[in-house]
Amino acid sequence: MGSMQPELSRPYESGVFPEGLLAIVQRTVSEAQFPALTVIHDEEDDWLVSDDVHDPNEDGASIVQHLHHVLALDPSIAELVTMPPGHVACRTSGTAPWEISEWVYGDD
């Protein structure tokens, strides 16, 4: 499939997410209805942000947007800037610490 990202090299300059970095974001998170509880940095170098409550695969449930919009709502996601591809960060609430582990897509 390939990454949807513009040409951005890692590690990101100054240890911050670049302004042009895209993410697939669940609308419930981008509209501040639910906190981000799962952040995936997949093997294709894409970032996915989910509320871990609703199905992000339902029609219209997720959008592509610049990650800096999500960071404006939840600055704690900036802590994940060094998370390598193939990893996921999870937490139990919007104020809980992030726990990082390896990630693989189901059914792969």
Side-chain angles (χ1 to χ4, degrees), residues 70-84:
V70 181
L71 290 167
L73 295 172
D74 185 349
S76 75
I77 294 172
E79 299 169 24
L80 306 176
V81 68
T82 59
M83 186 168 68

Side-chain angles (χ1 to χ4, degrees), residues 6-73:
E7 288 298 318
L8 299 170
S9 61
R10 284 187 318 106
Y12 303 126
E13 190 173 315
S14 303
V16 297
F17 286 110
E19 186 94 359
L21 186 68
L22 297 171
I24 299 170
V25 183
Q26 218 169 347
R27 286 185 186 274
T28 55
V29 173
S30 69
E31 296 171 1
Q33 297 168 353
F34 286 82
L37 298 182
T38 301
V39 177
I40 299 167
H41 188 189
D42 73 12
E43 290 292 344
E44 295 178 339
D45 208 24
D46 290 322
W47 292 85
L48 301 91
V49 183
S50 168
D51 66 19
D52 202 35
V53 175
H54 301 92
D55 184 354
N57 298 308
E58 287 185 9
D59 285 343
S62 299
I63 60 171
V64 175
Q65 77 177 144
H66 289 107
L67 189 59
H68 70 89
H69 294 296
V70 181
L71 290 167
L73 295 172

Side-chain angles (χ1 to χ4, degrees), residues 15 23 86 107:
D107 300 321

